[in-house]
Amino acid sequence: MKLLALEARQNGAYYQSRYRQVADLGAELYVLNGIGTPDFWPEDRYRIAGSQHIDDLVTAAKAWHEQERFDGIITFSESAVTAVAVVAEALGLPGVGPEAARTSRNKLLMRRAHLGHGAPHPDFRLVADVEEARRAAEDFGYPVILKPTLGAASNFVFRIDDEEELRRTFPQAAEGIEGMSWFGMEAEGIDLGPHGLMVESFLDGEEFLIEAVVWDGEVYLGSVVDRITAEGGTFDDDVHHAPTSLGPEQVAAVHRVVTAGARAQGLRRSVLHAEVRFHRGEPYLLEIAIRPGGGGLDLIARITADHCPIRAVMDVACGRRPRVRHYAPTGVHVTAMCLLCEAGRIERIEVPAEVSESDRVFFLKVTAKPGDVVRRPPEGNSILGFLGTTGDSLEDARQVMNDLADRIRVDLTPIGDPR
């Protein structure tokens, strides 16, 4: 299996660990970055196009494809799913198609597709300014959600409880999304749909994250994970637990909703990362992305449900039916969290051996490094990394996770300090 991985603008070293998983699973992996750094991947299987414009990416990919004859093209980046669809079509490789990719990337187009096909979703409205946002909030009723159409990783997603908060937050979010890294990593020259802010009605129940596959129109839920965060005004403080607390009837309801959403988005063969929230006892779609979930959700799927999203990406990219089954938990409990700290410039991150070498840790990934600037809401949603632990129960795994997280030390300099 010979695969090409693509990013229009390289997201640091964030996806290297997943690329290594692909290689470990037996693929010969080549990497093409539009804008990237040297030595990111072995030299004989790595190229930099020197541009993030889609025409240049297609040209570079075609030239390489003529030499290597790739079996498929992949990405793990939300910012690259549309570019990959365009390049796959240009190379004659399997893919979801540019239109389905655009619908699955742009939250407004996704919502319109859900509306048009009867997939349960919150009320929504694209808003050009704070007055339009205020009118939408009054129509929907507070609290509401303010979010970008082309966001990712909960950047600039806010729960708004009243008009005063909306007037204070809207201009910060409108300014922030223009410099949002996930938007800046998109390929240039592609119609991505509207770039702006949406107001959505608030869904007041619990949230669940699903790793799934749709193959020839049939959806398979591979993994179902509970989001157990004590919820506040932003949605980046993720704490996850698996196996899910949902019963069989609730899992079946989630399956119906994800199936409706996948069909609405025009997806017949794709890996899916779905986020679902219950509202008044019924599941509603927050989104369905066409790549695996971030953080350690791929590892959680393997441990708690014997489902491998990475292997599924590889198979689907080549047009091969992946090994899929309907959700069946293994009985192992895990918890996982985003590592957060206060805002500032990182001077040092210290991860002691009792954390890094613990046999209870199944996932530890520090994505930040000294010199990075950590921004917290409303200015941004920077994280330090991820930590996941195993246990005999939710309580056991969570206690260990919190104890180990407290031992990670971060030294910060306030932003603006000349040091």
Side-chain angles (χ1 to χ4, degrees):
M1 182 186 297
K2 187 178 288 189
L3 297 174
L4 176 65
L6 172 70
E7 287 185 82
R9 179 175 287 272
Q10 179 187 323
N11 185 12
Y14 190 82
Y15 296 111
Q16 270 187 341
S17 62
R18 287 200 162 177
Y19 291 167
R20 293 189 190 104
Q21 287 188 57
V22 171
D24 289 344
L25 286 168
E28 189 176 350
L29 183 66
Y30 294 71
V31 176
L32 174 64
N33 288 332
I35 302 296
T37 58
D39 303 322
F40 175 76
W41 198 245
E43 183 178 1
D44 61 332
R45 286 177 279 121
Y46 179 53
R47 291 186 181 181
I48 301 172
S51 164
Q52 66 187 91
H53 195 281
I54 190 60
D55 292 345
D56 297 323
L57 294 171
V58 168
T59 298
K62 277 186 173 180
W64 213 1
H65 183 50
E66 289 176 0
Q67 297 174 7
E68 301 294 344
R69 307 311 303 174
F70 300 116
D71 297 307
I73 178 169
I74 67 170
T75 191
F76 297 108
S77 171
E78 179 70 4
S79 299
V81 295
T82 310
V84 163
V86 172
V87 174
E89 184 176 69
L91 270 56
L93 295 173
V96 302
E99 188 61 34
R102 181 166 40 249
T103 301
S104 300
R105 171 67 180 113
N106 189 291
K107 305 304 187 291
L108 177 66
L109 301 183
M110 185 186 299
R111 284 284 179 260
R112 288 174 177 170
H114 294 166
L115 175 64
H117 290 79
H121 62 279
D123 294 327
F124 66 96
R125 192 176 302 170
L126 180 68
V127 292
D129 53 41
V130 71
E131 290 304 318
E132 287 191 7
R134 180 187 62 79
R135 288 193 291 272
E138 288 181 351
D139 289 345
F140 298 158
Y142 290 100
V144 294
I145 301 299
L146 182 68
K147 65 191 295 185
T149 60
L150 287 167
S154 298
N155 275 224
F156 300 101
V157 179
F158 302 98
R159 168 178 163 156
I160 306 294
D161 290 318
D162 53 43
E163 182 178 336
E164 179 183 356
E165 186 177 6
L166 178 62
R167 291 190 179 277
R168 182 175 65 252
T169 304
F170 188 92
Q172 296 171 322
E175 180 182 359
I177 65 171
E178 294 303 324
M180 184 170 48
S181 62
W182 295 100
F183 180 62
M185 289 186 290
E186 294 281 354
E188 298 169 351
I190 298 181
D191 176 12
L192 299 171
H195 173 49
L197 291 170
M198 300 166 56
V199 172
E200 293 186 343
S201 61
F202 181 68
L203 305 175
D204 61 6
E206 295 179 328
E207 185 175 328
F208 301 87
L209 303 107
I210 296 100
E211 302 305 308
V213 171
V214 57
W215 186 259
D216 290 345
E218 183 172 357
V219 169
Y220 299 85
L221 304 186
S223 169
V224 185
V225 175
D226 298 359
R227 188 175 189 267
I228 57 174
T229 307
E231 194 164 275
T234 59
F235 297 86
D236 59 339
D237 186 11
D238 284 346
V239 181
H240 300 142
H241 166 251
T244 182
S245 60
L246 293 175
E249 291 185 1
Q250 293 169 306
V251 171
V254 168
H255 182 267
R256 289 192 296 271
V257 167
V258 174
T259 297
R263 290 173 179 169
Q265 291 171 220
L267 303 170
R268 292 194 67 257
R269 291 184 174 184
S270 179
V271 169
L272 309 175
H273 168 71
E275 298 179 3
V276 171
R277 185 178 283 252
F278 276 70
H279 181 65
R280 298 175 183 172
E282 296 296 329
Y284 287 73
L285 289 169
L286 296 179
E287 68 172 56
I288 299 179
I290 52 173
R291 40 85 188 164
L297 287 170
D298 57 320
L299 299 177
I300 293 175
R302 291 180 192 173
I303 293 169
T304 68
D306 194 26
H307 171 68
C308 181
I310 308 303
R311 168 63 75 178
V313 167
M314 297 164 58
D315 288 336
V316 171
C318 297
R320 303 175 184 174
R321 188 183 190 278
R323 185 179 72 89
V324 288
R325 64 176 187 178
H326 293 292
Y327 178 61
T330 63
V332 178
H333 286 263
V334 305
T335 55
M337 69 187 302
C338 288
L339 296 169
L340 304 177
C341 68
E342 299 299 319
R345 187 179 302 278
I346 297 175
E347 297 295 328
R348 182 174 64 141
I349 303 174
E350 181 181 342
V351 181
E354 60 262 33
V355 176
S356 61
E357 299 176 8
S358 171
D359 60 4
R360 300 288 295 275
V361 172
F362 73 90
F363 182 53
L364 175 62
K365 183 177 182 179
V366 177
T367 57
K369 61 185 184 302
D372 287 353
V373 173
V374 175
R375 302 189 187 278
R376 301 301 305 141
E379 286 77 23
N381 299 70
S382 307
I383 64 172
L384 295 176
F386 308 92
L387 174 66
T389 54
T390 60
D392 297 325
S393 65
L394 164 61
E395 294 75 17
D396 178 39
R398 189 171 189 174
Q399 181 177 346
V400 172
M401 179 186 69
N402 288 334
D403 177 60
L404 295 178
D406 287 342
R407 303 185 194 189
I408 298 174
R409 179 178 174 180
V410 183
D411 295 334
L412 297 163
T413 299
I415 299 174
D417 189 315
R419 290 180 296 174

